[in-house]
Amino acid sequence: MQSRVQIQVRGIVQGVGFRPFVFLLAHKQSLRGRVLNNPSGVLIDVEGDARAIDCLVTEINSNPPPLSMIASVERISGLAPAHYADFRIVESTPGAERSTPISPDVAVCQDCLQELFDPADRRYLYPFINCTNCGPRFTIVEDIPYDRPNTTMMDFPMCRDCRSEYENPLNRRFHAEPVACAECGPRVYLSDSEGNPLSASGDEVFAQCRAFLNEGLILAVKGLGGFHLACDALNSAAVERLRGRKHREDKPFALMADSLNMVRRYAVISDAEEKLLLSRARPIVVLERREDSPVPRSVAPGVNTLGFMIAYTPLHHVLLKSLGKPLVMTSGNLSDEPICYENDSAVSRLSAIADYFLSHDRRIHIRTDDSLTRVIEGIPVMLRRSRGYAPAPIKTSVKFDREILACGAELKNTFCLGRGNYAFLSHHIGDLENFETLESFTRGIEHFERLFSIRPTVVAYDLHPEYLSTKYALALDDSLDKIGVQHHHAHIASCMADNGIEHEVIGVAMDGLGFGSDGRLWGGEFFIAGLSHAERIAHLDYIPMPGGANAIREPWRLAAVYLQRAFGDRFVDIDLPSVKGIDRQMWKTLRSMIRSGTNCPETSSMGRLFDAVACLLGLRNAVNYEGQAAVELEAIASRAACGGYEFDVSPDGRVISALPVIKAVVEDLVEGASREVVSAKFHMGVANLILRVAERASDQHGLKGVALSGGVFQNALLVQATTRLLTSSGLKVFTHSRVPPNDGGISLGQAVVANARLKLGGTN
Ligand code: ZN
Ligand code: ZN
Ligand code: FE
């Protein structure tokens, strides 16, 4: 029986080889008709044998192209015959609905790599080689539909050879929008630190770059989502020079290798980590450093991990080829600013850091940082979700009834748009502390709203009145419904959404700081939480944070506060180097600030307790990056089994005191216990505490699920210990995977909480 059917496919189906895939299937089934990209995705108008059409639909559902992500396949039948003579791929229709997701950027594929290093290929060593299955996407898209004129590749008219590949449905570059060659496409060039071009061209550029790197010089390299600063990772003088110039004292640098084998020389790789390293997203993976690793300590001081990624663009592959060693590849920025992505501003901002610039003339439309991941208890955990992942939507089990914008937190900001069963979580924006970052936040929101045709009528935000993301939300038009979501409820809800659960859980939120509903700074919290509500059932007792934000930079202040509470004012006589190191005069000032309550916000933060303990162990009195003390505390912990310090829990179970822990830490240290053991006992103590509170809550509320969220749970040792304890006591543990446990996941949590409240008919 002959019939005509229109098939609308939605999801990530543009720019992933979908039309040629349909074209080949239609030919195999002798069908006639048209296939095109439309604003909703891919539209197939097909006529022929009804059973052949069924086969086509089955194939689309069961065997779609590797990079596609199908959301729905809709059939419209009963159409009048169109009498097509053949099957063709036709031009996209510009249109109004515009809701097609854009693919994330994809690492160069094997087929392209093969050609890249084949002297007989016309793209031999061409650093922008790509095809339908790989290459830039999100970073070059300016508008939808995803077609060359709507990308930054519009600057490069195709040559005849490229065009014939692009137009041939049987070619693997058919409608690969960024297709290019040395004849017609983007070019690399080399310039000095002032931006003056050097005469080298083509292959000489890379030979020259390798020579510079071998001399220990620092190179700014323009990649996919922005500029990196690169140097020889095995040359400690070069690494230290980079640290000095970038004003980045201790924060670990990421490394780039050309292959898995190269990574193996420096780090231990599990199967799960190998998979992650080689995945199309090519994130940085935090790996255990090999003890005999020749990578200098200055690459990642104070930790026993190395963050590696494998080259993901052809440019990186050409650069690394025949270098034989990994490169430091850290984001090209000045300490807290966002990563540079425009050629001119990169030169003006990085000229004091980079000796030379390896640049190119393909514009980056949206800056994206490298994504950062770590495998914890066998589960890949996103620590920074950006290049390679964003803007792929996260499927949610809950449905967003109204289109929604969630503005996220202040540090590690992301925003999130919700529609239907999808959350469009943004790339990593950064810390909203300066104009540049705020601008990429506001521009990012506009870009996402345009790309995905989302016009939010609801806005969710954090309760912290000073967050710039909160101020942004409150300044938006009053016709929008605005819903404030408590920071740690957002953490727990984010973890629930990550795991696709909607039932009530015991929520354990441990992080640095977040604004509590009592106006204090929370961060060591236990909840009975659902998506719409969170009842705080227990928390770490409040302590003053003398000097506010200064106490975050100087953990010794927290250590002193805890010591004073545990031992009284005589604590200064304790015979420990870390205590003796406390500046008495400074402490006197802080003491009177605490007495008078001047600039001493109260906090229940677990992150701050980690800081205090790290300080007692003599690890550091001041930190150079967020979470440094806690990271180093985890790094030194002995992996041998041990007992844990015991927290005090009030008889009603609501208030947890860390004072017995502080006392025990001091006693152990005075008696000469090693700090490796003390750190391990502290970690176990926190895990035991979580078990104790969770068991009690489970008995009282009949809940079995425990969700762990907040930045403290980036700590692999703690997650491991906690998960094992909870599991063996019959509880079900939910941890993060697709979105970060840190504040990068807050926006997703805000979105699902606001949505759940709307379903209940309220906004509070
Ligand atoms: Zn390819
Ligand atoms: Zn060409
Ligand atoms: Fe947080």
Side-chain angles (χ1 to χ4, degrees):
M1 202 186 79
Q2 294 289 302
S3 69
R4 179 181 168 210
V5 176
Q6 285 192 347
I7 303 161
Q8 176 70 61
V9 190
R10 291 169 206 264
I12 298 183
V13 289
Q14 294 184 5
V16 293
F18 213 91
R19 289 170 303 167
F21 157 76
V22 172
F23 177 89
L24 289 175
L25 286 177
H27 268 260
K28 221 166 68 188
Q29 302 285 351
S30 306
L31 293 166
R32 289 158 287 116
R34 304 284 181 260
V35 58
L36 67 152
N37 282 343
N38 71 352
S40 307
V42 165
L43 181 72
I44 307 157
D45 188 350
V46 62
E47 56 187 1
D49 181 61
R51 265 182 312 182
I53 295 178
D54 288 343
C55 285
L56 177 80
V57 174
T58 311
E59 272 299 293
I60 288 172
N61 276 312
S62 53
N63 262 321
L67 295 186
S68 63
M69 204 173 126
I70 295 180
S72 66
V73 178
E74 185 191 344
R75 285 173 73 140
I76 307 149
S77 35
L79 301 162
H83 304 295
Y84 290 121
D86 55 4
F87 195 92
R88 259 191 236 170
I89 297 169
V90 296
E91 277 309 299
S92 309
T93 50
E97 200 189 340
R98 319 202 323 164
S99 60
T100 303
I102 300 290
S103 161
D105 298 290
V106 183
V108 59
C109 74
Q110 274 311 317
D111 291 341
C112 285
L113 268 185
Q114 202 85 48
E115 290 180 9
L116 182 64
F117 292 115
D118 174 5
D121 193 273
R122 75 182 192 91
R123 291 190 180 84
Y124 178 55
L125 298 183
Y126 179 60
F128 302 95
I129 188 171
N130 67 82
C131 72
T132 305
N133 291 328
C134 76
R137 297 288 188 274
F138 175 55
T139 49
I140 61 165
V141 173
E142 297 180 313
D143 204 349
I144 57 162
Y146 174 65
D147 264 346
R148 192 166 175 113
N150 283 333
T151 71
T152 61
M153 282 303 291
M154 72 187 214
D155 303 348
F156 305 95
M158 277 180 255
C159 68
R160 260 189 44 208
D161 288 345
C162 285
R163 178 159 292 281
S164 78
E165 291 171 305
Y166 180 86
E167 286 173 352
N168 175 4
L170 302 176
N171 191 284
R172 67 184 196 87
R173 295 203 165 83
F174 176 73
H175 271 267
E177 306 302 341
V179 71
C181 72
E183 207 49 52
C184 63
R187 286 166 199 221
V188 290
Y189 57 91
L190 194 54
S191 61
D192 67 14
S193 61
E194 305 294 312
N196 304 310
L198 272 62
S199 63
S201 68
D203 304 348
E204 294 160 35
V205 166
F206 289 97
Q208 185 67 73
C209 285
R210 283 189 289 268
F212 288 150
L213 291 167
N214 281 325
E215 285 167 40
L217 296 176
I218 296 164
L219 221 58
V221 180
K222 185 177 180 182
L224 205 48
F227 280 80
H228 282 113
L229 289 161
C231 74
D232 177 350
L234 303 184
N235 180 336
S236 63
V239 174
E240 268 149 43
R241 199 172 315 123
L242 177 54
R243 283 210 177 276
R245 290 188 193 169
K246 208 186 162 190
H247 303 296
R248 176 154 156 158
E249 291 90 347
D250 304 305
K251 199 172 179 186
F253 283 143
L255 301 170
M256 183 182 273
D258 68 352
S259 64
L260 198 63
N261 277 338
M262 186 185 273
V263 180
R264 265 190 227 290
R265 295 212 285 270
Y266 309 100
V268 185
I269 309 173
S270 70
D271 290 350
E273 287 160 345
E274 173 175 331
K275 245 177 94 182
L276 209 47
L277 280 166
L278 294 174
S279 69
R280 283 191 285 261
R282 292 287 158 91
I284 300 167
V285 185
V286 177
L287 301 168
E288 186 191 329
R289 181 193 171 98
R290 278 177 63 138
E291 274 177 34
D292 57 356
S293 173
V295 171
R297 284 283 162 189
S298 53
V299 165
V303 296
N304 32 36
T305 52
L306 291 172
F308 261 106
M309 60 187 149
I310 292 180
Y312 52 88
T313 69
L315 186 150
H316 296 139
H317 277 282
V318 177
L319 179 64
L320 278 156
K321 192 180 160 58
S322 75
L323 197 64
K325 55 191 163 192
L327 292 176
V328 163
M329 277 293 225
T330 184
S331 33
N333 56 3
L334 296 165
S335 39
D336 291 330
E337 289 182 2
I339 184 170
C340 293
Y341 71 113
E342 290 163 323
N343 293 4
D344 292 348
S345 87
V347 169
S348 66
R349 284 160 65 199
L350 301 179
S351 66
I353 306 177
D355 297 301
Y356 292 95
F357 285 81
L358 169 57
S359 198
H360 61 73
D361 55 2
R362 187 176 70 201
R363 287 179 293 122
I364 295 170
H365 184 67
I366 280 281
R367 63 158 73 89
T368 54
D369 296 81
D370 293 315
S371 294
L372 180 65
T373 61
R374 183 176 190 181
V375 175
I376 301 180
E377 278 289 271
I379 301 172
V381 181
M382 204 66 66
L383 300 181
R384 180 171 65 218
R385 185 182 181 275
S386 209
R387 178 193 46 79
Y389 296 97
I394 290 170
K395 201 157 175 24
T396 55
S397 66
V398 293
K399 185 166 186 288
F400 293 100
D401 293 332
R402 289 167 62 188
E403 297 187 350
I404 190 167
L405 163 68
C407 296
E410 173 101 330
L411 298 177
K412 301 184 167 70
N413 176 275
T414 60
F415 59 84
C416 178
L417 291 167
R419 181 185 55 214
N421 280 96
Y422 290 99
F424 296 85
L425 187 62
S426 78
H427 51 303
H428 167 82
I429 302 290
D431 299 347
L432 292 182
E433 292 174 326
N434 54 54
F435 177 75
E436 281 261 322
T437 321
L438 184 64
E439 200 182 55
S440 60
F441 171 75
T442 54
R443 285 186 45 200
I445 291 174
E446 285 160 21
H447 190 54
F448 266 61
E449 289 181 353
R450 190 169 56 244
L451 285 187
F452 306 115
S453 306
I454 295 180
R455 270 166 289 277
T457 58
V458 185
V459 181
Y461 60 92
D462 194 276
L463 296 180
H464 200 305
E466 294 306 316
Y467 280 6
L468 292 181
S469 51
T470 300
K471 291 182 174 175
Y472 171 87
L474 295 177
L476 289 173
D477 197 283
D478 278 337
S479 63
L480 302 167
D481 279 320
K482 298 181 185 175
I483 302 179
V485 179
Q486 199 276 321
H487 188 93
H488 301 98
H489 183 200
H491 269 306
I492 300 303
S494 165
C495 182
M496 292 171 66
D498 198 341
N499 287 281
I501 57 170
E502 292 157 53
H503 56 77
E504 263 192 347
V505 292
I506 299 160
V508 185
M510 309 258 148
D511 72 351
L513 299 170
F515 200 81
S517 32
D518 61 357
R520 288 156 159 154
L521 297 170
W522 294 5
E525 319 300 317
F526 292 84
F527 299 95
I528 298 299
L531 290 177
S532 63
H533 60 281
E535 184 204 343
R536 189 192 196 202
I537 52 165
H539 63 89
L540 211 52
D541 199 5
Y542 292 114
I543 53 152
M545 234 174 37
N550 285 331
I552 302 172
R553 283 186 288 273
E554 297 179 11
W556 73 265
R557 297 183 185 212
L558 279 315
V561 168
Y562 268 118
L563 286 169
Q564 197 275 333
R565 293 245 161 150
F567 297 99
D569 286 321
R570 303 274 316 267
F571 84 85
V572 289
D573 300 329
I574 294 170
D575 190 20
L576 277 182
S578 55
V579 179
K580 289 203 170 121
I582 290 174
D583 181 333
R584 305 248 175 146
Q585 208 46 47
M586 193 63 200
W587 167 245
K588 250 177 139 175
T589 315
L590 297 187
R591 186 85 184 91
S592 66
M593 278 168 72
I594 296 169
R595 282 214 180 88
S596 64
T598 317
N599 195 13
C600 282
E602 289 193 295
T603 184
S604 55
S605 163
M606 181 58 84
R608 297 289 86 84
L609 178 62
F610 269 79
D611 282 358
V613 171
C615 178
L616 285 179
L617 266 61
L619 285 172
R620 56 182 50 253
N621 290 328
V623 296
N624 294 318
Y625 63 90
E626 196 226 343
Q628 181 178 16
V631 164
E632 293 178 356
L633 189 61
E634 178 192 352
I636 61 156
S638 153
R639 291 328 196 234
C642 66
Y645 298 122
E646 208 172 315
F647 287 79
D648 215 22
V649 180
S650 65
D652 65 359
R654 302 191 65 87
V655 182
I656 300 151
S657 169
L659 298 184
V661 174
I662 297 292
K663 283 184 186 150
V665 167
V666 169
E667 265 165 40
D668 272 359
L669 288 173
V670 168
E671 279 167 23
S674 76
R675 52 190 204 177
E676 288 74 13
V677 167
V678 174
S679 171
K681 285 171 80 175
F682 175 68
H683 279 84
M684 273 315 290
V686 176
N688 286 335
L689 169 72
I690 295 171
L691 173 68
R692 194 164 144 205
V693 178
E695 276 183 330
R696 183 173 173 147
S698 173
D699 288 346
Q700 287 179 349
H701 300 267
L703 298 173
K704 287 281 170 221
V706 185
L708 309 180
S709 189
V712 167
F713 291 112
Q714 298 174 98
N715 183 319
L717 179 61
L718 179 66
V719 172
Q720 217 168 65
T722 308
T723 305
R724 290 176 189 176
L725 285 177
L726 291 171
T727 309
S728 62
S729 127
L731 296 164
K732 168 104 182 91
V733 181
F734 298 99
T735 52
H736 280 273
S737 173
R738 296 183 293 171
V739 297
N742 61 45
D743 283 6
I746 284 286
S747 59
L748 173 65
Q750 291 172 343
V752 293
V753 169
N755 183 57
R757 294 219 183 121
L758 285 168
K759 281 186 204 285
L760 293 178
T763 52
N764 289 304

